[in-house]
Amino acid sequence: MSNHIYKHIELTGTSPISYDQAIKNAVERAAKTVHNMRWFEVIDTRGHIEEGKVSHWQVSIKVGFTLDEA
């Protein structure tokens, strides 16, 4: 196993469908500009309620990625 140095960032994904989709939306969007992503950790989950029903999810995640080799 080689030595890796990780950097991590926090993201918040949203979705009207589910918390799972909110996570996927955050990771897929970040993948357009952040490379070598390796893991994520759910930090916080929130939702919006309208007329007694869950109408929207917000999930904050910490994403770890490896730095490019010099």
Side-chain angles (χ1 to χ4, degrees):
M1 181 175 167
S2 61
N3 293 327
H4 292 289
I5 303 299
Y6 292 94
K7 180 171 179 73
H8 44 89
I9 56 174
E10 289 187 19
L11 305 169
T12 300
T14 63
S15 171
I17 299 169
S18 67
Y19 67 89
D20 182 58
Q21 189 61 51
I23 294 168
K24 290 177 182 178
N25 289 346
V27 170
E28 289 172 9
R29 174 58 184 87
K32 294 179 179 181
T33 57
V34 178
H35 306 288
N36 304 320
M37 290 189 293
R38 303 288 186 222
W39 54 266
F40 74 90
E41 173 186 357
V42 174
I43 299 170
D44 193 21
T45 304
R46 293 174 300 283
H48 184 72
I49 300 170
E50 288 183 4
E51 298 179 11
K53 295 182 182 179
V54 175
S55 64
H56 209 85
W57 293 90
Q58 290 183 338
V59 181
S60 295
I61 60 174
K62 186 180 294 185
V63 176
F65 58 96
T66 54
L67 299 175
D68 291 335
E69 294 294 325

